[in-house]
Amino acid sequence: MSTPLSPPPLTDDCFALPPGTHWTPVSEAHDMLRTRLRTVVGQEVVALAEALNRILAQDVVAARANPPQPNSAVDGYGLRHAETVVGPQTLPLATGRAAAGAPFGSVLPLGHAVRILTGATIPEGVDTVILQEDVTTDGTQIAFHGGLRKGANLRRAGEDVDAGAVILQAGRRITPADLALSAATGLSELSVHTRLRVAVLSTGDELAQPGETARPDQIFDANRPMLLAMIKRFGFEPVDAGRAPDDRDALKAMLDAAAADADLILTSGGASAGDEDHLSALLNESGAMNLWRLAIKPGRPLALGLWNQKPVFGLPGNPVAALVCALIFARPAMGVLAGEGWHAVEPLMVPANFSKSKKAGRREYLRARLRDGKAEVFTSEGSGRISGLSWAEGLVELPDNACEIVPDTPVAFHSYASFGL
Ligand code: AMP
Ligand code: MG
């Protein structure tokens, strides 16, 4: 007869972080990712119309000055400063005018003023422009009060950008304003990195696909649509690598396919050390696996490895933890792989509209949003609560050390938008 099994005794530390285990602080994990990863994507030249959100592969040099020639900043009249006096005076108007795109075409006759419109190239001889509101005219002459500043209302050639100047630096993610600057300085195409291809793979026998009839014991795969959409928002190329069952051979085949098609693989689920945690088992077998026990809530284990030379981020299965780990670890890592370098997201310090007592030893992220300038947090911290992710508009980050938050304590708020979502 076998001895009846009894459960293991409770230990002193059952509510504490495991002693002797090294819980890696977030900042240490960041340092490792920043220093160990490098750009893995290539380069291509794209037209300005295709360049929004792409990452510059090289510094951009202005092909032309802006403005290319001196021009008028206002609608008014051009004249020679030396021909003005302090006090009331008149000047005859030269025949013709200078308009944007339709130059005056000759030298301003001595002792004259010339009609000039905003953006018009400054005619030779003109060194000052008087605002039309400061002038009366009968069409043949203008009357005004002198005492103008020489050079008034002129834009100098190159006062914005000189030809040959570096206007944008490699690694920059191109914004609408960058397209204006590039176009203005004579560029029609830019050298950018090829888009980072990121495969997203879900794992678990319990996962049904949207549109399928789910068995009562199944849940719908929430992480894959979320992670694929996040990658798209980040400006990378999402690759749907499907759902792997809790079967080692099937997962292996799907990892092979994902590695062949992408620069990076994001998986969710199966990353801990349980019976059905095949991802960590496989990465372990491949010999290029590190299970990072992170001092973070929600989150904890993040399986990092290489599969056929492609980096794999094994995110936790819980959707809340998956999103937090994707934003806090995968997002900056993707930046490095994609050629934009490491970017720490700057939080906004705002007063809390909640109370919380936090223990030392790990960093915490709370689902949060700003209302009336204050951060409010979701009622439940349960990491399966997907409704809270959708309710939130960002995360409140509480530091590694212990802290006592009461209403109006300043807290660090990271909007989803600040991550690029
Ligand atoms: P695992 O890490 O595989 O043990 O998963 C942890 C928890 O997350 C379990 O409750 C899973 O059912 C759940 N989970 C795993 N993957 C997903 C997914 N893609 N969508 C929604 N929940 C998931
Ligand atoms: Mg699982």
Side-chain angles (χ1 to χ4, degrees), residues 202-203 206-207 219-224 268-271 277 316-319:
S202 293
T203 68
E206 75 279 31
L207 300 179
I219 58 170
F220 285 105
D221 183 348
N223 289 344
R224 196 144 47 95
S268 67
D277 288 325
N318 279 309

Coordinates of all heavy atoms in Angstrom, one line a residue, residues 202-203 206-207 219-224 268-271 277 316-319, ligand 1:
S202 N 0.3 32.6 -31.0 CA -0.4 32.3 -29.8 C -0.2 30.8 -29.5 O -0.1 30.0 -30.4 CB -1.9 32.6 -29.9 OG -2.1 33.9 -30.0
T203 N -0.1 30.5 -28.2 CA 0.0 29.1 -27.8 C -1.1 28.7 -26.8 O -1.4 29.5 -25.9 CB 1.4 28.8 -27.2 OG1 1.4 29.4 -25.9 CG2 2.5 29.3 -28.0
E206 N -6.4 25.8 -25.3 CA -7.7 26.4 -24.9 C -8.1 27.5 -25.8 O -9.2 28.0 -25.6 CB -7.6 27.0 -23.4 CG -6.8 28.3 -23.3 CD -5.3 28.1 -23.2 OE1 -4.8 27.2 -23.9 OE2 -4.6 28.9 -22.5
L207 N -7.3 27.9 -26.8 CA -7.6 29.0 -27.6 C -8.4 28.7 -28.8 O -8.0 27.9 -29.7 CB -6.3 29.7 -28.0 CG -5.4 30.2 -26.8 CD1 -4.2 30.9 -27.4 CD2 -6.2 31.2 -25.9
I219 N -11.4 29.5 -24.6 CA -11.5 30.9 -24.6 C -11.1 31.4 -25.9 O -10.4 30.7 -26.7 CB -10.7 31.6 -23.5 CG1 -9.2 31.2 -23.7 CG2 -11.1 31.2 -22.1 CD1 -8.2 32.0 -22.8
F220 N -11.5 32.6 -26.3 CA -11.0 33.1 -27.6 C -9.6 33.7 -27.5 O -9.3 34.3 -26.4 CB -12.0 34.2 -28.1 CG -13.3 33.5 -28.7 CD1 -14.5 33.5 -28.0 CD2 -13.2 32.8 -29.9 CE1 -15.6 32.9 -28.5 CE2 -14.4 32.2 -30.4 CZ -15.6 32.3 -29.7
D221 N -8.9 33.6 -28.5 CA -7.5 34.1 -28.6 C -7.6 35.7 -28.6 O -8.0 36.2 -29.6 CB -6.9 33.6 -29.8 CG -5.4 34.0 -30.0 OD1 -5.0 34.9 -29.2 OD2 -4.7 33.5 -30.9
A222 N -7.3 36.3 -27.5 CA -7.3 37.7 -27.4 C -6.0 38.4 -27.7 O -5.9 39.5 -28.2 CB -7.8 38.1 -26.0
N223 N -4.9 37.7 -27.4 CA -3.6 38.3 -27.6 C -3.2 38.5 -29.0 O -2.5 39.5 -29.3 CB -2.5 37.4 -26.9 CG -2.6 37.4 -25.4 OD1 -3.3 38.2 -24.8 ND2 -2.0 36.4 -24.8
R224 N -3.5 37.6 -29.9 CA -3.0 37.7 -31.2 C -3.5 38.9 -32.0 O -2.7 39.7 -32.5 CB -3.3 36.4 -32.0 CG -2.4 36.3 -33.3 CD -2.0 34.9 -33.5 NE -3.1 34.0 -33.4 CZ -3.9 33.5 -34.4 NH1 -3.6 33.9 -35.7 NH2 -4.9 32.7 -34.2
S268 N 2.8 34.3 -27.2 CA 2.2 34.6 -25.9 C 1.7 33.2 -25.3 O 1.3 32.4 -26.1 CB 1.1 35.6 -26.0 OG 0.0 35.1 -26.7
G269 N 1.9 33.1 -24.0 CA 1.6 31.8 -23.3 C 2.7 30.8 -23.4 O 3.6 30.9 -24.2
G270 N 2.6 29.8 -22.5 CA 3.6 28.7 -22.6 C 5.0 29.1 -22.2 O 5.9 28.4 -22.5
A271 N 5.2 30.3 -21.6 CA 6.5 30.7 -21.3 C 7.1 30.5 -19.9 O 8.2 30.7 -19.6 CB 6.6 32.2 -21.6
D277 N 4.2 24.2 -20.8 CA 4.9 25.4 -21.2 C 6.0 25.0 -22.2 O 7.2 25.0 -22.0 CB 5.5 26.2 -20.0 CG 4.4 26.9 -19.3 OD1 3.4 27.4 -19.9 OD2 4.4 26.9 -18.0
P316 N 4.0 36.6 -21.5 CA 3.1 35.8 -20.7 C 1.8 35.7 -21.5 O 1.4 36.4 -22.4 CB 2.9 36.7 -19.5 CG 4.0 37.8 -19.5 CD 4.4 37.9 -20.9
G317 N 1.0 34.7 -21.1 CA -0.3 34.4 -21.7 C -1.4 35.3 -21.3 O -2.3 35.7 -22.1
N318 N -1.4 35.8 -20.1 CA -2.4 36.7 -19.6 C -2.4 37.9 -20.5 O -1.4 38.6 -20.6 CB -2.2 37.1 -18.2 CG -2.7 36.0 -17.2 OD1 -3.8 35.6 -17.4 ND2 -1.9 35.6 -16.3
P319 N -3.5 38.3 -21.0 CA -3.5 39.4 -21.9 C -3.0 40.7 -21.3 O -2.3 41.5 -22.0 CB -5.0 39.6 -22.3 CG -5.6 38.2 -22.2 CD -4.8 37.6 -21.0
Ligands
AMP1 P1 0.0 30.3 -20.1 O1 1.2 31.2 -19.9 O2 0.1 29.6 -21.4 O3 -0.1 29.4 -18.9 O4 -1.2 31.2 -20.0 C1 -1.6 32.0 -18.9 C2 -3.0 32.4 -19.0 O5 -3.2 33.2 -20.1 C3 -4.0 31.3 -19.1 O6 -5.2 31.6 -18.4 C4 -4.3 31.2 -20.6 O7 -5.5 30.6 -20.9 C5 -4.3 32.7 -21.0 N1 -3.9 32.9 -22.4 C6 -2.9 32.4 -23.0 N2 -2.8 32.8 -24.3 C7 -3.9 33.6 -24.5 C8 -4.4 34.3 -25.6 N3 -3.8 34.3 -26.8 N4 -5.6 35.0 -25.4 C9 -6.2 35.0 -24.2 N5 -5.7 34.4 -23.1 C10 -4.6 33.7 -23.2

